[in-house]
Amino acid sequence: MVVQPSHGRRVPCDRRTPSPRRSHRRGPGRQGIVSAVPLSSEYELLKNCPSPSRRIVVLNKMDLANSSRTKEWMRYFELQNCESFAVNSHNRENIKQFLNFLQAKVRELKKMDNSSSTTAIMLVGIPNTGKSALANSLHNIGRISAAEKGKLKHAAVSSQPCETKDISSLKIASNPNVYVLDTPGVLPPVICDFETSSKLALIGTIRDSLAGEKQLAQFFLSILDSGKEYEQWAKLSTAGSGRLSVDFREEYSGSCETETTKKRQYPSDHTQDFIVQDVRRVLYESISSTRVDMRRRKDVLRLIEFQLAALREAFRIPSELGEEDACIRVSEKLLNLYRTGRLGHFTLDDIPKDIDVHGTS
């Protein structure tokens, strides 16, 4: 992402590393964008970047987005004369490819000005786009590829936004030396568009408690209900069989597990496969069994309230818990499954209508 001051002010550098303005040459910049919301998560200050050759849009968390839509967005940025690269920070091979891509860009820039100085690449973006995780992965792979010895550095990573407080420098390549600068996320003080702010809250750019867990869960369900992602769960449906998946789970477990390889099941852990399957089943049956006109707001809200109530059983929420607390518990678990890709792959932003990424016009 591009070396860019935050809100027009100079961003403080990590005191443990030299200031990039004094000792580093600016390399190709990288703007961190989440693949699920390529437009909504765009860093506003870089839209009119004067040097597109030094700006690279990184579509991070590609493993959580719709793969075909990600390709369309990469085509969109190409039409905007902006280079982009889709990244999964947890995929070793993908990070190797991205590192090779960056090194090639650095070599191109060095040929242009015959420079041999150290290159610094700054990661810039809104909170919780995975900048720190990406910096760590590049550092780990880069040091191993260069066969360098010494203790690896580590940028703090958290599922909560605004974990990064200072700029930190991590070496990602040698001969020539290349460093990546991990920076705190930045947001405009006001986001006027309701849909954009809802999307950013859904991907975790701001804390759930500020946006409201139930409101975020409702927003996600409205997206799921109006799409086709749920159709892949049709085989999980037990409608018409007179029994629920939870009824035959023990029967299935008893026939498949041996005495020596029994897998414990914890009803309070919503990430376990048998609970995720029940959640998918409830969502599929609630959508497919009703013929809701998604243009009618009242009907949509009625469906969502029904789903939140039905998910209490799927998530094994204690019956003695109050209605409001139970709804928040369901919302928290549902959002976690969405954000970890357990409920499908979603791209929330649409390509602007005036852009033809398919070349049909």
Side-chain angles (χ1 to χ4, degrees):
M1 301 176 222
V2 175
V3 178
Q4 182 84 16
S6 174
H7 299 295
R9 296 172 294 180
R10 180 176 177 179
V11 182
C13 296
D14 189 335
R15 293 183 179 179
R16 295 169 296 179
T17 58
S19 166
R21 292 190 177 189
R22 295 177 181 175
S23 63
H24 292 322
R25 174 179 172 277
R26 294 183 183 184
R30 288 184 288 164
Q31 178 181 357
I33 286 179
V34 179
S35 295
V37 284
L39 208 58
S40 299
S41 63
E42 188 173 19
Y43 184 46
E44 189 72 23
L45 294 178
L46 297 183
K47 283 187 176 180
N48 299 314
C49 179
S51 181
S53 65
R54 299 196 179 202
R55 176 192 178 198
I56 301 170
V57 173
V58 181
L59 294 167
N60 202 8
K61 303 184 181 181
M62 61 178 287
D63 52 310
L64 302 180
N66 181 295
S67 58
S68 61
R69 298 286 300 281
T70 297
K71 293 178 181 178
E72 291 178 359
W73 274 106
M74 292 182 70
R75 174 58 179 161
Y76 165 82
F77 286 113
E78 181 184 350
L79 293 174
Q80 305 303 307
N81 296 317
C82 182
E83 290 192 86
S84 63
F85 201 101
V87 171
N88 173 4
S89 297
H90 305 291
N91 185 297
R92 193 179 186 85
E93 290 304 314
N94 178 248
I95 292 297
K96 285 183 179 180
Q97 294 171 4
F98 186 43
L99 185 58
N100 291 335
F101 170 80
L102 291 176
Q103 289 177 301
K105 291 299 173 185
V106 169
R107 287 193 291 270
E108 288 179 13
L109 289 176
K110 287 184 178 296
K111 288 180 180 179
M112 291 170 58
D113 56 13
N114 296 318
S115 173
S116 59
S117 60
T118 295
T119 299
I121 301 173
M122 182 171 279
L123 296 171
V124 178
I126 64 174
N128 214 27
T129 51
K131 298 184 296 295
S132 296
L134 177 58
N136 286 333
S137 295
L138 287 169
H139 176 57
N140 293 341
I141 297 298
R143 290 288 299 274
I144 292 173
S145 300
E148 288 196 4
K149 296 181 180 180
K151 187 176 180 180
L152 291 173
K153 298 177 69 175
H154 180 77
V157 176
S158 172
S159 60
Q160 296 297 320
C162 303
E163 178 66 26
T164 303
K165 307 299 183 183
D166 298 300
I167 293 180
S168 58
S169 173
L170 300 129
K171 190 175 184 179
I172 64 173
S174 301
N175 301 317
N177 291 331
V178 181
Y179 287 81
V180 64
L181 304 179
D182 182 33
T183 69
V186 287
L187 268 178
V190 178
I191 302 176
C192 298
D193 184 75
F194 174 77
E195 185 175 358
T196 297
S197 61
S198 298
K199 292 175 182 177
L200 294 180
L202 187 57
I203 65 171
T205 296
I206 61 177
R207 296 183 183 276
D208 293 347
S209 57
L210 297 177
E213 291 87 349
K214 181 179 179 181
Q215 288 76 9
L216 289 179
Q218 290 174 323
F219 183 61
F220 166 68
L221 287 173
S222 69
I223 294 170
L224 177 72
D225 295 345
S226 61
K228 296 183 178 181
E229 192 76 18
Y230 72 93
E231 294 177 356
Q232 63 183 309
W233 304 329
K235 61 183 179 182
L236 300 176
S237 177
T238 57
S241 64
R243 53 196 251 184
L244 300 176
S245 61
V246 291
D247 296 331
F248 60 80
R249 186 174 63 250
E250 291 185 5
E251 173 187 331
Y252 174 82
S253 299
S255 63
C256 296
E257 295 175 347
T258 64
E259 293 183 2
T260 57
T261 59
K262 276 194 173 183
K263 182 178 179 180
R264 289 189 177 184
Q265 295 180 340
Y266 300 94
S268 61
D269 181 5
H270 65 279
T271 64
Q272 292 185 106
D273 289 344
F274 75 93
I275 292 184
V276 175
Q277 296 292 70
D278 273 346
V279 170
R280 292 170 176 170
R281 174 189 54 77
V282 167
L283 292 173
Y284 173 81
E285 292 181 352
S286 64
I287 301 172
S288 60
S289 62
T290 58
R291 295 293 180 265
V292 174
D293 185 348
M294 299 304 294
R295 295 170 297 182
R296 296 172 60 90
R297 179 175 172 79
K298 289 184 178 180
D299 291 348
V300 173
L301 290 176
R302 190 179 299 114
L303 170 62
I304 291 174
E305 287 302 318
F306 171 78
Q307 290 173 318
L308 289 174
L311 286 172
R312 295 180 190 180
E313 180 182 355
F315 279 125
R316 280 61 172 176
I317 304 298
S319 56
E320 61 271 16
L321 205 61
E323 183 175 348
E324 183 176 348
D325 290 337
C327 186
I328 292 178
R329 189 81 62 84
V330 167
S331 300
E332 291 174 340
K333 293 177 182 289
L334 185 68
L335 290 171
N336 177 263
L337 292 184
Y338 157 70
R339 290 168 179 163
T340 53
R342 304 296 297 277
L343 297 179
H345 302 82
F346 298 87
T347 299
L348 309 182
D349 280 343
D350 294 322
I351 302 287
K353 294 182 179 179
D354 59 332
I355 304 295
D356 180 17
V357 296
H358 301 289
T360 55
S361 61

